[in-house]
Amino acid sequence: QTTQFYANFSNSNQSPNIGIGGLQDNSTTLYYGDKAWGRAIGGDGMCTGIDPVNDNILYGSVQRLNLYKSTDGGEDFNNISIPAASQENKNFNGPFEVANTNGDILYAGAQRLYRSNDGGASWVPTTEDFIDEGNTVLDITIDPNDENHLYLSTSPTENNNPKVMQSYDGGASWTIMQGLPSAIALDIAMAPDNPDIAYIVFGGFDNENVFRT
């Protein structure tokens, strides 16, 4: 069978033989070193995550930011979706990320950015207002060494002006990054040994696509 992974595939910090990823129309798949991969959750598999120090704690999602968590290595998953975001617009592949410095800290994006400090048991918005005039959060990146240093990108769902933004205070305040094309930033990555270095990849045919700061 041929299938397609959505972003974001996740791999273990501890073992090269543990991974989890979301598949288009084919659920969430789990890898444990065998040729045959397991499946879980159902629906369109979307973003995933693995606790940085405990491989039994896995996260998956289905379309529109419906989030799930397993504490037994993927045998069972329980819903940990965000009640306060239920009335907000979301991207089809709604993003979430697990902090590398503390596996209890997660961020997830709708029209606001949400943070959990207890592994998804509860969520609070990092701002009272929408992040970007109602444009939905498309991608989230957490500094590998500082869970309060973030980048995110937005989709032009409310206006034709997607943005890339940076926060140093856990999403309480944001700075719009300048000198970038008016295009959708699909992926952002920070250098693991230098948080001042970041790479941003844009979609589009009429603009440059890869930027570094």
Side-chain angles (χ1 to χ4, degrees), residues 26-84:
N26 281 284
S27 306
T28 294
T29 188
L30 300 107
Y31 176 70
Y32 283 102
D34 299 322
K35 291 182 179 180
W37 294 43
R39 288 191 179 180
I41 300 174
D44 282 272
M46 297 290 169
C47 293
T48 62
I50 302 178
D51 185 278
V53 297
N54 185 347
D55 288 336
N56 286 317
I57 300 177
L58 307 173
Y59 297 91
S61 60
V62 298
Q63 55 267 34
R64 307 295 180 192
L65 203 63
N66 287 288
L67 306 178
Y68 292 83
K69 178 180 181 178
S70 173
T71 58
D72 56 11
E75 292 294 326
D76 299 288
F77 281 85
N78 297 306
N79 192 287
I80 57 165
S81 295
I82 307 167

Side-chain angles (χ1 to χ4, degrees), residues 24-190:
Q24 182 182 16
D25 296 328
N26 281 284
S27 306
T28 294
T29 188
L30 300 107
Y31 176 70
Y32 283 102
D34 299 322
K35 291 182 179 180
W37 294 43
R39 288 191 179 180
I41 300 174
D44 282 272
M46 297 290 169
C47 293
T48 62
I50 302 178
D51 185 278
V53 297
N54 185 347
D55 288 336
N56 286 317
I57 300 177
L58 307 173
Y59 297 91
S61 60
V62 298
Q63 55 267 34
R64 307 295 180 192
L65 203 63
N66 287 288
L67 306 178
Y68 292 83
K69 178 180 181 178
S70 173
T71 58
D72 56 11
E75 292 294 326
D76 299 288
F77 281 85
N78 297 306
N79 192 287
I80 57 165
S81 295
I82 307 167
S86 62
Q87 300 303 311
E88 295 183 25
N89 293 330
K90 309 168 189 71
N91 280 297
F92 186 71
N93 189 6
F96 76 90
E97 292 287 341
V98 182
N100 186 62
T101 50
N102 183 341
D104 287 333
I105 296 176
L106 288 79
Y107 290 94
Q111 288 176 291
R112 291 182 289 179
L113 185 73
Y114 289 83
R115 174 169 167 153
S116 175
N117 293 317
D118 52 18
S122 63
W123 298 87
V124 294
T126 64
T127 56
E128 185 174 331
D129 297 326
F130 292 157
I131 289 288
D132 180 23
E133 301 176 345
N135 286 337
T136 50
V137 178
L138 178 64
D139 188 62
I140 304 164
T141 297
I142 309 172
D143 186 329
N145 303 298
D146 180 0
E147 65 267 17
N148 293 309
H149 180 202
L150 315 168
Y151 281 93
L152 65 73
S153 67
T154 59
S155 298
T157 50
E158 297 297 319
N159 59 58
N160 194 30
N161 189 21
K163 296 181 180 69
V164 176
M165 310 171 80
Q166 182 176 205
S167 174
Y168 285 96
D169 54 13
S173 61
W174 294 90
T175 300
I176 298 172
M177 305 304 292
Q178 304 297 323
L180 297 172
S182 182
I184 299 173
L186 301 175
D187 198 15
I188 306 168
M190 279 187 263

